[in-house]
Amino acid sequence: MHVFVVRPFGTRRVVMEDGGEAEVDFAAVQRALVDPALAALGMQGGTTEPIAQAGDIRKDVFELLATSDLVVADISMHNANVFYELGVRHALRDHGTVLIRCRCQEVPFDLRTDRYVEYDARDPAASLPALIAALRDTRDSDDVDSPVLAKLPAVEARLPDWSGVLGAPSDFREEVRRAAREKHPGDLRLLSDEARHFRWKVEGLRAVGAGQVEAGDRAGARTTWERVREHLPGDAEANSRLATLYQKLGQLAASDEAVQRVIDDPASRGPQLAEALALKASNTKARWMEEWQSAPPAGRVAAALRSPRLMESYGEYVAGFREHQNHFYPGINALALLTLRLKLADLAPGVWAAGFETEREAEAERGRLAAEGSRLAGAVELALEGSRRRLELERRQDRWVSIAAADLAALTKANPALVAERYRQALTGAESFYGDVVRRQLAMYADLGVLAGNAAAALAVLDELRQPAAPAPVPPERVIVFTGHRLDVPGRAFPRFPAAAEGEARAMIRAAVEAELGGRPPGGVVGCAGGASGGDVLFHEVCGEIGIPSQLFLAGTRERYVAASVADAGPGWVARFDALLARCPARWLGGSTADPDQPRWLRPWREYTVWDRSNLWLLHNALVLCGGCATLLALWDGREGDGPGGTGHMVEIARAQGVKVERLPAERLASIRADDDEAESTGVIRLRAV
C-alpha cells in the first residue's frame, strides 16, 4: 500500500496554542512519527523528495495525489503548498486521507470539523499509537473523508478509476507476456508479488492476472485479482475475473458474491452485465447438475426435471441475453436449458404433470415453453449471424461463433449427420480446450437421455478429431527446497563454513534429505536450489547420489553467476558447478542472456536486490511444482547473513508462505579445522573441532 506524505519542508516557526512560538523540524517529525507508523502497517511511501527523474514535478505530485492509497497531510502550519495539495486530493479521491497536526495554531475554518491526529512537536513519537490506529482505520474503511465529495455526491459518483493513470512499465509487461507465453506460473507469481510495491501496482496486477489465466494458473490468478480488489473493491474487471476463477476452482459461493458485485454496480451495462448474468446462471446450472448427478441413474431424469434450479438458471441466462442480444452466449445456453426441460417432460410425463393441478394446465405450459423456445432460437440465430458479419468486417475469427452455431443445430435439428458436420467444421484444428467444453455439454445430454441421436453423432466427431495428447507431466508429490551458506572465502574474519567442514555439511544434508523421504523411495520427489559453492552444490550432489532429480535456479548469466557465487571457492568448485549444469535442468532468472542486474522497472526499489529476488523466484517456482507441498532445508547458523538475499531471508519468506522449514545447525561447521601439521607430515588430513 502506497502512502504519499504532504507536509512543510525544513524547520519552520509556528504559533503554539498558548500564543508563543516554536520551531518544528518537519523532517524529524516524519522520521519519528510518520515513517514508523507506515512501517508498523507494512506501508510504503513518503514525500516527493525521492523522485529524482527529470520532468515536471507537478505531474508527479498530481499523480501521487490521485493514485496513492493513502495521503497523510500535516496541516500544522498555514502552508500554501500543503493546503493546495490537500484540496486537490479531496477533489480527486473520496476517501483515504489522514490529517495530522502539532498542537499549535488554529485549524483553518474549512477543516475545523475534520478529524486529525495531534502530536507534540517536542515529542512526536508519543502519538505513534494514535497515528497507527488512524491509518489502519482509514485503510480498512470506505467512509468518505473528503469534505468536497461528501457535499457533492453527484461528483463523487462520477469519479474515474484513477488506477489507470499510471500504466505499468513496458518492460514489466514484456516480462509478464514472456512468462505467460512460456507457461512459467512461478515467475508470474513473483511478478504479482513485486508489482504491489509500486504506484502502478493496480495496472501491473491486471497484466499479471491476465497472464496467469493464459498460463493456466487459476490459483495464482485468483490471488492476483484479489489483490486488485484490495485497492479497488468495486472494480468490475476484477470481480468478473474472480467470479470465473472461483467457479473454475469450485468455490461457487464466492463466485456468486463476486458476480453479484458486478450486477449491483450501476455502471455495469451491456456486454459486461450480460456476461455477469450469464456467469450467475452458470453457477446455478452447476448446482442443478450436482443435484441430479448425485441421484441413482434411474432417478436422474426425475431429479433434473423436479429441481427448481433448472428454470432459475434458464431465467438468469435469458436476463443476460435480453441485456445484450448481440452476446449470443447466454442466449444459446438459455435455449439449451429450455430444450432440456421440454425433452425431460417427454421422458417423465408423470413428473411433469405432478407440478400442475390439471392436465390442461400442464399441456398449456408445455405449449407456452415450446413457443418461447422457437422465439429464442430465432433470436439466437440472428445474434450469431450478426457476430459472423462483424467478424467478416473486422477480418477476425472466433471459433466460439462456429461452436455456438453447431450447438444451435444440435438443439433444433433432428438430423444427426448435419449436426456432426457442423461440429466437424467448428472444431477441426481447434485446441483441445474447445473440444473439452463441447464434450461436457454433449455428455450432459447423453447422461439424461435427451437429444440422443445428435449427441451421439457429435461425440463421435469429437472422438475422431481428438489429437493424441502427449502424456501430461506428473507433478512431484513433494519438493525439497534447499538454502544454505556458501563456502567461506579465504581470509574470512569469522569462520562460518570452512572448506574443511565440507564432509560434515554433506553428511548433515544427506541425513536431512533421507529424513524427509522417511524411508520411502525417492520417486515423486524433486529438489530445487541455487548453485552456489558450498551448501547448494552439495545438496544437488546428494540428490544425485540418492536418485532424486533436482533443478537449478540461477540469477543472471553463467559467467556472472560463477563470478559472484562459485569462483572464489576455487576451480574445483567451478568444475563441480559446471557438472551440475550439464546434468540438471536449469532456469535462469531473466533469461540466460539477460542483464544480470535488476530490470529497469525494478531499479527504483533500491532496497530489493537481485539476490532477494532470486530467493523469492526460487520459492514461488518450487511451490508451483507441487501445489504447495514443499519443505525447505536450511543449512543455517541462525544469524544474519553477510548481505541481502541470504539464507536467513529465504527462511523468512518460506515461513511467511507456510512452508515447512527444517534448520540444519550450520553453527557446528564453524569450529571444524584441518590439522595442517599432520597433513604436512603424513599427507593425510584429519578434521578436528576447536
Side-chain angles (χ1 to χ4, degrees):
M1 177 164 279
H2 190 271
V3 181
F4 181 34
V5 180
V6 176
R7 63 167 174 82
F9 287 90
T11 300
R12 302 295 183 92
R13 185 172 295 278
V14 299
V15 178
M16 304 303 289
E17 289 179 328
D18 59 7
E21 293 187 346
E23 289 190 339
V24 178
D25 182 347
F26 287 99
V29 171
Q30 180 169 338
R31 290 192 299 270
L33 175 60
V34 179
D35 290 346
L38 300 185
L41 295 171
M43 299 176 178
Q44 295 177 320
T47 66
T48 54
E49 283 183 310
I51 299 176
Q53 63 197 46
D56 185 350
I57 193 170
R58 289 181 301 175
K59 177 178 181 293
D60 295 319
V61 169
F62 294 151
E63 285 180 349
L64 286 164
L65 291 169
T67 63
S68 294
D69 302 294
L70 296 178
V71 165
V72 175
D74 191 327
I75 58 171
S76 298
M77 59 178 299
H78 296 174
N79 180 285
N81 283 334
V82 169
F83 283 103
Y84 174 73
E85 291 172 18
L86 177 59
V88 171
R89 171 69 176 190
H90 279 162
L92 296 178
R93 295 289 290 267
D94 60 352
H95 70 284
T97 304
V98 176
L99 307 181
I100 65 173
R101 67 181 290 267
C102 69
R103 300 185 183 96
C104 53
Q105 62 198 73
E106 201 171 82
V107 178
F109 173 80
D110 287 338
L111 297 174
R112 200 166 295 170
T113 60
D114 289 23
R115 290 183 295 177
Y116 40 78
V117 175
E118 286 193 328
Y119 63 85
D120 185 335
R122 291 158 294 195
D123 183 19
S127 296
L128 183 57
L131 181 55
I132 291 173
L135 289 168
R136 182 188 296 113
D137 291 347
T138 304
R139 176 196 66 188
D140 297 339
S141 172
D142 291 331
D143 292 346
V144 175
D145 55 38
S146 162
V148 177
L149 299 174
K151 300 297 184 184
L152 300 173
V155 175
E156 180 195 359
R158 290 171 172 78
L159 284 177
D161 173 9
W162 294 110
S163 67
V165 169
L166 296 176
S170 60
D171 51 344
F172 173 84
R173 291 182 176 276
E174 288 169 5
E175 197 165 339
V176 170
R177 285 194 293 269
R178 182 169 59 251
R181 184 176 60 251
E182 297 174 359
K183 302 290 192 255
H184 289 316
D187 294 21
L188 290 164
R189 292 188 184 193
L190 170 73
L191 293 167
S192 178
D193 273 354
E194 291 172 333
R196 293 185 297 160
H197 295 272
F198 296 90
R199 287 192 289 136
W200 43 263
K201 56 186 168 290
V202 171
E203 292 307 296
L205 289 169
R206 289 188 201 279
V208 175
Q212 288 171 312
V213 171
E214 179 185 342
D217 182 16
R218 291 172 179 167
R222 174 188 60 193
T223 298
T224 298
W225 286 107
E226 285 173 343
R227 287 170 174 169
V228 174
R229 279 206 69 241
E230 288 175 9
H231 300 284
L232 299 171
D235 186 75
E237 183 185 16
N239 283 309
S240 295
R241 293 274 196 171
L242 284 169
T244 300
L245 289 164
Y246 289 141
Q247 184 196 68
K248 300 295 186 185
L249 291 166
Q251 300 173 263
L252 291 185
S255 179
D256 287 340
E257 292 169 0
V259 80
Q260 195 62 46
R261 288 191 290 267
V262 179
I263 293 170
D264 291 341
D265 184 353
S268 290
R269 291 290 183 272
Q272 185 179 71
L273 182 55
E275 186 71 30
L277 289 165
L279 188 54
K280 182 179 182 182
S282 179
N283 288 346
T284 306
K285 176 183 171 183
R287 292 186 173 93
W288 169 69
M289 292 180 66
E290 287 175 2
E291 288 179 355
W292 62 260
Q293 285 175 342
S294 63
R300 287 182 175 179
V301 168
L305 185 56
R306 285 194 181 103
S307 173
R309 286 195 167 117
L310 173 56
M311 290 307 285
E312 181 183 346
S313 178
Y314 165 74
E316 290 162 347
Y317 275 127
V318 167
F321 190 46
R322 285 174 177 161
E323 178 63 29
H324 188 66
Q325 292 193 19
N326 286 333
H327 189 35
F328 60 81
Y329 169 78
I332 192 67
N333 278 279
L335 180 61
L337 292 180
L338 184 56
T339 303
L340 272 171
R341 182 167 171 80
L342 289 168
K343 296 293 184 183
L344 290 171
D346 291 338
L347 292 174
V351 175
W352 172 262
F356 302 90
E357 291 188 5
T358 67
E359 184 176 339
R360 177 177 293 182
E361 287 182 5
E363 286 303 313
E365 179 62 11
R366 288 183 65 170
R368 187 189 70 79
L369 291 178
E372 189 171 319
S374 296
R375 292 192 298 272
L376 184 56
V380 170
E381 188 168 10
L382 286 173
L384 285 170
E385 183 58 36
S387 296
R388 278 192 290 262
R389 181 60 179 153
R390 283 192 300 277
L391 291 171
E392 289 173 3
L393 292 173
E394 296 169 7
R395 297 181 180 179
R396 292 190 302 111
Q397 292 184 340
D398 185 346
R399 194 173 292 275
W400 290 117
V401 174
S402 300
I403 291 172
D407 291 338
L408 181 61
L411 294 169
T412 59
K413 307 294 185 183
N415 187 340
L418 172 66
V419 170
E421 185 58 28
R422 294 283 174 86
Y423 278 113
R424 180 176 286 106
Q425 293 172 2
L427 294 170
T428 297
E431 297 177 15
S432 60
F433 165 76
Y434 294 96
D436 292 341
V437 173
V438 172
R439 185 178 294 275
R440 284 195 294 271
Q441 184 76 2
L442 294 171
M444 178 180 68
Y445 301 153
D447 287 347
L448 290 171
V450 300
L451 301 170
N454 287 352
L459 287 169
V461 169
L462 289 176
D463 291 338
E464 172 192 326
L465 297 176
R466 177 181 282 173
Q467 298 293 328
V474 179
E477 297 173 6
R478 188 153 206 86
V479 171
I480 302 175
V481 186
F482 178 84
T483 185
H485 297 312
R486 291 182 57 218
L487 205 72
D488 288 350
V489 298
R492 180 183 169 90
F494 301 100
R496 183 178 62 186
F497 186 170
E502 178 185 336
E504 177 66 15
R506 178 186 290 273
M508 293 170 65
I509 293 170
R510 186 180 186 100
V513 172
E514 289 176 341
E516 190 63 25
L517 291 176
R520 297 184 301 274
V525 179
V526 170
C528 296
S533 61
D536 286 354
V537 170
L538 290 174
F539 171 74
H540 287 291
E541 291 176 344
V542 166
C543 285
E545 294 165 3
I546 294 175
I548 295 174
S550 63
Q551 298 184 15
L552 284 157
F553 288 83
L554 308 166
T557 64
R558 184 259 174 207
E559 291 73 20
R560 287 291 296 268
Y561 188 87
V562 167
S565 303
V566 185
D568 54 14
W573 284 92
V574 175
R576 290 163 74 175
F577 170 82
D578 284 334
L580 289 176
L581 202 55
R583 175 173 64 84
C584 302
R587 289 282 320 281
W588 295 88
L589 180 57
S592 58
T593 60
D595 183 346
D597 297 324
Q598 298 284 55
R600 181 182 60 83
W601 64 267
L602 256 180
R603 291 173 191 165
W605 187 5
R606 293 181 177 84
E607 62 271 25
Y608 182 62
T609 71
V610 69
W611 305 114
D612 297 309
R613 190 180 199 218
S614 180
N615 277 345
L616 194 57
W617 172 65
L618 164 57
L619 187 63
H620 274 308
N621 275 279
L623 290 173
V624 164
L625 275 177
C626 62
C629 52
T631 296
L632 177 69
L633 301 182
L635 183 67
W636 182 40
D637 60 10
R639 299 178 182 176
E640 189 173 341
D642 295 341
T647 302
H649 172 256
M650 178 64 102
V651 170
E652 177 187 348
I653 61 175
R655 285 175 173 159
Q657 293 276 353
V659 174
K660 172 188 171 186
V661 177
E662 296 288 349
R663 188 176 82 86
L664 285 57
E667 59 270 19
R668 298 178 187 172
L669 306 178
S671 60
I672 296 177
R673 301 286 187 275
D675 192 328
D676 295 332
D677 295 336
E678 183 179 358
E680 289 179 0
S681 62
T682 66
V684 177
I685 296 179
R686 299 183 187 277
L687 303 183
R688 59 186 174 86
V690 297

